[in-house]
Amino acid sequence: NKIVFVYKENKTDAWVIVRQFLQVVNNQGELDYVEDADAFEQFVGKINTNYKANDYLKSYTGYQYTKSEIRVNDEVTSNTTLTKQGMEICLYYDMISYGYEVRYLKEGSNEPVAEPVTGSKLFGTIITGEAITVENYELVGDITEQKLTITADKSAIVANGSDAVTFTVKYGAEDVS
């Protein structure tokens, strides 16, 4: 009495895995990559077929595609032709740097009372703008600093048609009576 299962070698199919990695700032303040688990893809491909990384690119707000790696048996290779060992396609996206501007404006207008502070930071960075002392003006209100998260959505906060993300500290005329 015996049960026998007979197998033949699969010479036509192999697995393909596609993984997307996004750049982040880790807890030590260093740039690193984390996988977008929601974008994980696995399928059966045809052996001797060419699989190109560019065919699996995704669009991520605030990121740009920078490189890809093809891995077979955990080794990076330049071969994009599927073999019986299968392949893993890894795509990497880096954060985009966006400009920002801290403006010091006269109350009720867009007229500057001091030169703006400008800079550039990576997508997702939180910056702090601080009120300054301006001769012949006093700060309106009690808020002396404001935080801003650098985003890719500049449509509502563009200043004078520039690409700079802007937030404003308003000043009123100093009472000299």
Side-chain angles (χ1 to χ4, degrees), residues 7 25 33 40 46 48 51 58 60 62 69 71-72 78 94 97 103 115 117 123 130 133 137 149 153 155:
Y7 294 86
V25 178
Y33 290 95
F40 179 86
K46 294 292 178 199
N48 293 322
Y51 290 89
K58 301 248 185 245
Y60 292 98
E69 291 178 344
R71 296 180 186 161
V72 175
S78 60
D94 286 355
S97 192
R103 300 174 74 199
E115 288 297 313
V117 174
F123 174 78
E130 296 180 353
T133 302
Y137 289 89
T149 301
D153 178 20
S155 60

Side-chain angles (χ1 to χ4, degrees), residues 13-19 40-53 55-56 69-90:
D13 301 319
W15 57 264
V16 178
I17 293 175
V18 180
R19 300 170 70 195
F40 179 86
E41 226 180 303
Q42 183 173 350
F43 59 92
V44 176
K46 294 292 178 199
I47 291 175
N48 293 322
T49 300
N50 209 359
Y51 290 89
K52 297 179 186 135
D55 293 339
Y56 303 97
E69 291 178 344
I70 306 292
R71 296 180 186 161
V72 175
N73 295 330
D74 291 326
E75 300 280 328
V76 176
T77 179
S78 60
N79 184 11
T80 60
T81 302
L82 186 61
T83 64
K84 67 180 180 179
Q85 287 82 20
M87 73 168 43
E88 184 177 16
I89 301 170
C90 299

